[in-house]
Amino acid sequence: VRTMQSLHCEYRKHTITASVMPHPDSPLPYAAGCLITAPDGHTSRRMSMPMKFFSDLENAQHVSLAHGRALVDQQLDEGHKVF
C-alpha cells in the first residue's frame, strides 16, 4: 500500500511526517495518519486516525501533522507510551 509522505514538521524535538493513505475509489479518498521520529532516531509505526477521511490531500496532511503533535504532547506531558 502506497502512502503519501511529503509534509513534515519539527515539534518538541520530534519530527512528524504526514502519512496519508490514498483510497481512490472513495468519495473521501485520503486517510489521515502520521509517523513520529523521536530525538533518538526511532520512528513509530504509522499512527492512523480512525475514521478520518478527507476529500482534499492538503487538508489530510495538515490534520495528520496536528494529530502527530497531539500524540507527542500526550506522551511527553501525560507520560503515556503512545509511540
Side-chain angles (χ1 to χ4, degrees):
V1 176
R2 192 175 140 247
T3 61
M4 299 173 184
Q5 300 174 5
S6 57
L7 267 175
H8 67 277
C9 69
E10 298 291 324
Y11 181 71
R12 298 180 74 177
K13 299 184 181 175
H14 291 68
T15 301
I16 301 165
T17 304
S19 179
V20 175
M21 292 188 68
H23 295 278
D25 297 328
S26 169
L28 298 173
Y30 300 106
C34 64
L35 300 171
I36 300 170
T37 303
D40 66 4
H42 171 76
T43 301
S44 72
R45 63 178 171 77
R46 183 177 180 275
M47 309 294 289
S48 63
M49 294 183 69
M51 304 308 292
K52 289 289 184 182
F53 298 93
F54 298 89
S55 60
D56 176 73
L57 175 59
E58 187 174 339
N59 192 25
Q61 289 176 325
H62 285 286
V63 169
S64 296
L65 294 179
H67 178 57
R69 289 189 296 269
L71 292 172
V72 169
D73 285 342
Q74 189 176 354
Q75 181 150 315
L76 295 179
D77 298 339
E78 299 172 23
H80 298 162
K81 178 75 173 147
V82 178
F83 52 87

